[in-house]
Amino acid sequence: MKPVVTIDPRLHDAVIFDLDGVVTDTAAIHAAAWKTAFDEFLSRRPRVEGENHTPFTDADYRDFVDGKPRLDGARDFLNSRGVTLPTGSPDERPAETLDGLVSRKQQVFLERLGAGVPVFRSTVALVRRLAEAGVATAVYSASRNCEHVLRVAGLEALFAVRVDGNVAADLGLRGKPDPDMLVETVGRLGALPERSVVVEDAQAGVEAGRSGGFALVIGVDRTGHADELVLHGADVVVSDL
């Protein structure tokens, strides 16, 4: 039996949507790009006692990378494998620094975007229904590619408010699971967390919604891991909006 979820304009002034995996099917593109970058790096790294160089998996993406700022996700994954890298600079080789590894991931991600961006049409329909009901909406993303992704998907006009990785860097906002970005997003809508809804597909994102005091945290599970979203703070989990 599917869960029943009610967004009520009498109780909720705003609904904010994570981008990747909720609005657009770019979570899969991010995961594939990270896999390319990490697997290349791990396959050529010299064997060191205590380090695990087996290929990057979907579970690794969910547990360590999904929803987080690039450097945080890369660092958390490598730490899980016993690998420590200096931050460095984006111009350095991936084998030497976190920034170099992130730059390689970004290169692969942009190449894959060239094939187009799949859109979850049920999410777009919900955003438009909320607007008709007088409920404000916004999109947020830890990714610095948010504006580009929306443009490629033909959704640049769907949200009047967008808070992404570039805004977070400019304002010094902490990344998920800290709620900074989510609170900033509803603030730009003139709403309060306690009268706002978060829609997320990442463990770090639902955790941010819960710790931020949001009225309702809706998890979107497209990969069969609903229990993990509930464990991290989702009030309810649906497979589609």
Side-chain angles (χ1 to χ4, degrees):
M1 182 177 179
K2 292 184 178 181
V4 176
V5 184
T6 301
I7 298 173
D8 188 338
R10 297 168 298 181
L11 303 174
H12 305 133
D13 301 322
V15 181
I16 61 173
F17 296 81
D18 180 39
L19 176 68
D20 301 310
V22 175
V23 180
T24 58
D25 192 13
T26 34
I29 303 175
H30 279 292
W34 277 119
K35 179 171 177 57
T36 296
F38 283 133
D39 286 356
E40 288 175 352
F41 165 74
L42 292 170
S43 67
R44 63 172 175 262
R45 185 170 174 83
R47 296 297 172 186
V48 177
E49 186 176 355
E51 293 188 1
N52 177 357
H53 296 175
T54 56
F56 184 74
T57 67
D58 289 342
D60 289 325
Y61 180 71
R62 289 193 307 273
D63 293 343
F64 303 111
V65 178
D66 190 18
K68 298 179 182 178
R70 298 171 184 173
L71 284 176
D72 291 349
R75 184 181 294 108
D76 288 351
F77 166 69
L78 292 178
N79 284 345
S80 77
R81 297 300 188 86
V83 178
T84 301
L85 288 181
T87 301
S89 72
D91 297 328
E92 293 178 277
R93 293 180 61 243
E96 298 176 7
T97 68
L98 285 172
D99 259 326
L101 188 58
V102 166
S103 291
R104 173 58 178 151
K105 178 267 175 179
Q106 175 70 355
Q107 177 189 19
V108 177
F109 178 77
L110 292 177
E111 290 171 355
R112 288 176 174 265
L113 279 190
V117 175
V119 173
F120 293 112
R121 294 296 171 189
S122 58
T123 301
V124 175
L126 175 59
V127 172
R128 290 173 174 155
R129 287 179 61 191
L130 289 168
E132 292 170 359
V135 178
T137 61
V139 65
Y140 66 92
S141 174
S143 173
R144 294 172 180 258
N145 298 300
C146 183
E147 182 179 7
H148 180 59
V149 168
L150 289 170
R151 186 185 313 114
V152 173
L155 300 177
E156 61 268 42
L158 186 63
F159 297 100
V161 170
R162 182 186 71 249
V163 175
D164 59 16
N166 296 305
V167 173
D170 290 343
L171 297 181
L173 303 178
R174 291 167 293 184
K176 296 180 286 186
D178 189 276
D180 274 8
M181 180 174 288
L182 282 64
V183 173
E184 175 68 21
T185 305
V186 294
R188 293 186 178 208
L189 291 173
L192 297 172
E194 56 264 33
R195 288 188 58 86
S196 300
V197 179
V198 172
V199 186
E200 259 285 358
D201 73 316
Q203 296 174 18
V206 295
E207 189 174 334
R210 176 57 50 233
S211 64
F214 282 79
L216 178 64
V217 180
I218 300 173
V220 181
D221 172 38
R222 305 191 193 276
T223 59
H225 295 87
D227 290 347
E228 295 175 10
L229 294 176
V230 172
L231 181 65
H232 282 80
D235 292 303
V236 66
V237 177
V238 298
S239 60
D240 190 86
L241 292 173

